[in-house]
Amino acid sequence: MTDATSDKFDWAAPAFQATLRKRKRSQLWLKSLGLGAILIAFAMLFLLVGSLISTGYHAFTQTHLRIDVVLDADLIDADAPERGNYRQILTNTMQAQFPDVADDRAALRRLTSILSNGAQFTLRDMVVADPGLIGQTVTVTVPVSDPYDQLAKGLIDSDTPEENRRLKDDEIANFNRLAEAGMVSKPLNWGLITNADSRFPELAGLKGAIIGSAYALLICFLLSFPVGIGAAIYLEEFAPKNRVSDLIEININNLAAVPSVVFGLLGLAVFIGWFGMPRSVPFVGGLTLALMTLPTIIIATRAALKAVPPSIREAALGVGASRQQVVFGHVLPLAMPGILTGTIIGLAQALGETAPLLLIGMNAFITSAPATPFDSATALPTQIFIWADSPERGFVSRTSAAILVLLTFLIAMNAIAIYLRQKFERKW
Amino acid sequence: MTLIAFLILISAVVIGYVLNLRSARALRHGGAKMHSLDGFHGGYAALMVLIPTFMLIITWLLFQGTVIEYLVKSGLPQDQLEGKGTGEIQLIMAEIRSIAGGRIFGTPEAWKLDAAERMVALRATSGGLLVAATAALAAVMLYIARRKVAADFRARQGAEGIIHGLMVACATVAIFVTIGIVASLLFETIRFFNMVPFWDFILGTSWEPQIPLREDQIAAEGAFGMLPVFLGTLVIATVAMVVATPIGLLSAIYLHEFASHRVRAVVKPVLEILAGVPTVVYGFFAILVIAPAIRSFGADLGLPIAPNTALAAGSVMGIMLIPFISSFADDALGAVPRSLRDGSLAVGATPAETVLKVLFPAAIPGIVGGILLAVSRAIGETMIVVMAAGLIAKMTINPLDSVTTVTVQIVTLLIGDTAFDSPKTLAAFALGMVLFLMTLVINIAALRIVRKYREIYD
């Protein structure tokens, strides 16, 4: 048959070959454009993650200085050790390190500024815990302040002209002398996770934000999980097909697409404005996030319920179970892996949500971790927002590091969801 | 006190369950022919106690703050409040609240200390009353449920009826959320329009929401014309769609037509990662990488580019929307019946011609629906623009310039402590109303297009 047609049509004619080449060329074009589009998307993802890691990894170490401090009994009142002049003690310590530096206040202040502002409080806490230390010499390891931290990490280029640099030549020389004496170390920066927020980058950590986020997510889960499952079961298994259930369904689909900032406005007006709940607390944050997560959980649960084959329901009904016994005894347990997967994905979205939390005030500057969901706190994404807004150089790498921490949590949650799906998903 | 109330609740529920279960079992062993299983008798009692008592505790907790506040406020000496605006009264209440919480700054007046003391006392009374009310209600419900155990009592129907009611209540929560959104936005928006004329807001071309704090202060007269803000939103959303649409569509076409199964299995999840990255991360990415890159590129070309140009926020938003458009387009292409595709290939069209001239036109409604949903996301997206776009509203469509958006204004107007009665705060709610209506219209249109299109081929 092919022979018959080829008799009528000259496949080798140059005109036909030309169109064929053209058509193949346009095919190649489309293919490479498509591949190019995917590569652009990949490149952007790579650039995003790469830029975060390349700026953020600095914050996973923190430069520390190990110094011998003389806890001068003249400067600390043994009866009230918390009132001691620890700043002066530190100044004396640094002066002892640099006997050749002139004894004027400005020079001394610049010397002391090598140490983090938190060093005096570290000393104070040590002495308050053990007043017996007064008058003795202790060796402490304290963080250095942000500019010197940057210097030790090689982020300050000594080739730039001195007036454009944050550290002058003599300051760099001083620090290098300490480094040569083996007093400078760069251990892992556990403070990033164990400290709460601070104005000073070298002391700022994510403890308050992580706990705040955890409380908000807990509240969000406790509310949206049962309510979402209840709503989904009703709509999928019991609701009569009428206009009311249609309305509810349209409503849920639309809620899922409402911008998150509008939920923030709702939380602000209703929970804080009308019910008089406090600002900045994880409880209100959790409530607001729960309203946002609810549609996601309802939609996921309905899909999971739908996937359970009707034969299960019919068999259970056939042996005399009531409709609720069918659902709660058979359908729901079988749908549970799917429901949990959907819930975890919904919670992961809620964890990264920022705008509604900003509106209910979870961007306050709070230097202690919340003890209960009713204490003021920040959350991980709002903490990232605060740090990204801070002018100090050290906060750039802290922000990237905080983002990496947040992404780690998100990846972990999604990994659990994928694991659950793979492990328990049934093919009927 | 709240904890005690919850403990009472839990123990009453458990007691109700166990007692009714046991009496039902005793009846059964006594030879009675029970209508319902023992467990249903227990469950009935538990639910009968749980639901009303739980509702009582929650309602109490929701309203006790407001009621105590009201009582304390009305107990304040009248001469201190005379001639003071709501803002000042709110400040006074905040101070009293912090004194009651044990945080005393400076030396407050005696009447404030009195009020704080009264607040503490009222809180204690409220806690005590809550426990008493919880215990009383739980006891009454327990008594009622206990008396119901009988051979012919239809406990299963009772318990299932309550559960059914609970599920209906859960399903209507979604409706209440919508009502809550509309009500809160509408309420504050109406208050806003009492201060600023409606048409000034809709058609005004100047947006300067600074309100002088004192009469004598030299500050810009507040102007609340939403057009420049709206225009800025459109500029950024347009930039985002210009980035996202071609990349998203082309990658969907490639994945659908040219990629092998193994490539698809890798590429699709990786693209989804882009959709899962929190927007605050994109915002930081925009200010850390994209904005400086665009600026230095512009400087090389000699173009004047604003530090927070709309291009930066828009293009990063576009990156975020790529997977959104690509998965919608992929689904739409996949939903075109196989026969169309096979027919086209059979008459000798190349795969590229099949996609572009047969599948794509057939999938257009689904793709348009997806793009519309992406537009609604771009309009409502907040964090990227809050971090990377400008604050000053300008009447411009130049994407190199710095523009502001509806969401940026909402967040900046409401960040920090806000009183609920200044036009500045209320303007945020009016903008929120505009945003809500805009996205709602787009979403409904998109969902309708998608659904209608599905019906054609089903």
Side-chain angles (χ1 to χ4, degrees), chain A residues 23 27 251 257 279 322 324, chain B residues 156 160 178 348 352-353 418 443:
Chain A
R23 288 169 64 198
Q27 155 112 351
N251 201 343
R279 265 175 188 281
S322 74
Q324 284 197 10
Chain B
R156 182 174 70 78
E160 290 192 346
T178 310
E353 286 160 348
T418 41
N443 289 339

Side-chain angles (χ1 to χ4, degrees), chain A residues 235-286:
Chain A
L235 292 175
E236 195 60 39
E237 306 279 340
F238 296 102
K241 278 269 159 265
N242 58 21
R243 293 179 72 173
V244 178
S245 47
D246 273 357
L247 182 72
I248 295 179
E249 186 153 4
I250 292 172
N251 201 343
I252 288 170
N253 285 336
N254 276 320
L255 265 190
V258 169
S260 61
V261 68
V262 172
F263 283 96
L265 287 173
L266 168 75
L268 179 65
V270 174
F271 298 136
I272 295 177
W274 296 355
F275 289 133
M277 292 184 191
R279 265 175 188 281
S280 315
V281 301
F283 180 73
V284 178

Side-chain angles (χ1 to χ4, degrees), chain B residues 282-368:
Chain B
Y282 278 115
F284 185 63
F285 178 60
I287 49 179
L288 183 73
V289 180
I290 301 295
I294 289 179
R295 212 167 42 240
S296 68
F297 186 67
D300 289 347
L301 294 181
L303 283 172
I305 294 189
N308 34 24
T309 156
L311 268 187
S315 54
V316 169
M317 199 189 278
I319 297 172
M320 180 189 82
L321 292 174
I322 290 173
F324 202 73
I325 291 187
S326 122
S327 70
F328 253 96
D330 198 19
D331 287 351
L333 287 173
V336 177
R338 230 190 134 69
S339 54
L340 284 180
R341 187 189 135 92
D342 291 347
S344 161
L345 290 174
V347 295
T350 62
E353 286 160 348
T354 308
V355 167
L356 288 183
K357 295 184 179 152
V358 178
L359 298 189
F360 200 75
I364 277 282
I367 293 174
V368 168

Side-chain angles (χ1 to χ4, degrees), chain B residues 241-405:
Chain B
M241 295 316 293
V242 165
V243 171
T245 313
I247 297 183
L249 287 186
L250 283 172
S251 53
I253 287 177
Y254 183 84
L255 284 179
H256 186 260
E257 203 53 41
F258 302 116
S260 66
H261 271 289
R262 279 173 57 193
V263 172
R264 254 180 90 89
V266 175
V267 171
K268 271 201 92 143
V270 175
L271 279 186
E272 296 297 324
I273 293 178
L274 279 177
V277 173
T279 53
V280 66
V281 178
Y282 278 115
F284 185 63
F285 178 60
I287 49 179
L288 183 73
V289 180
I290 301 295
I294 289 179
R295 212 167 42 240
S296 68
F297 186 67
D300 289 347
L301 294 181
L303 283 172
I305 294 189
N308 34 24
T309 156
L311 268 187
S315 54
V316 169
M317 199 189 278
I319 297 172
M320 180 189 82
L321 292 174
I322 290 173
F324 202 73
I325 291 187
S326 122
S327 70
F328 253 96
D330 198 19
D331 287 351
L333 287 173
V336 177
R338 230 190 134 69
S339 54
L340 284 180
R341 187 189 135 92
D342 291 347
S344 161
L345 290 174
V347 295
T350 62
E353 286 160 348
T354 308
V355 167
L356 288 183
K357 295 184 179 152
V358 178
L359 298 189
F360 200 75
I364 277 282
I367 293 174
V368 168
I371 291 180
L372 276 183
L373 284 178
V375 169
S376 124
R377 282 230 169 166
I379 292 175
E381 170 47 46
T382 310
M383 288 321 293
I384 296 177
V385 280
V386 165
M387 294 170 85
L391 292 174
I392 314 288
K394 283 187 206 153
M395 282 299 271
T396 175
I397 51 165
N398 176 8
L400 302 180
D401 215 339
S402 147
V403 297
T404 190
T405 73

Side-chain angles (χ1 to χ4, degrees), chain B residues 1 22 45-47 53 67 79 98 136 155 157 178 181 199 204 223 246 280 375 407 417 428 450:
Chain B
M1 278 305 179
R22 284 197 171 174
L47 286 169
T53 321
V67 172
D79 47 318
S98 73
Q157 275 78 351
T178 310
I181 289 177
W199 291 111
V280 66
V375 169
T407 48
D417 264 330
V450 171

Side-chain angles (χ1 to χ4, degrees), chain A residues 31-52:
Chain A
K31 211 169 160 177
S32 28
L33 276 179
L35 200 59
I38 290 176
L39 288 182
I40 290 178
F42 272 45
M44 283 302 157
L45 183 63
F46 186 74
L47 190 62
L48 173 69
V49 177
S51 65
L52 289 176

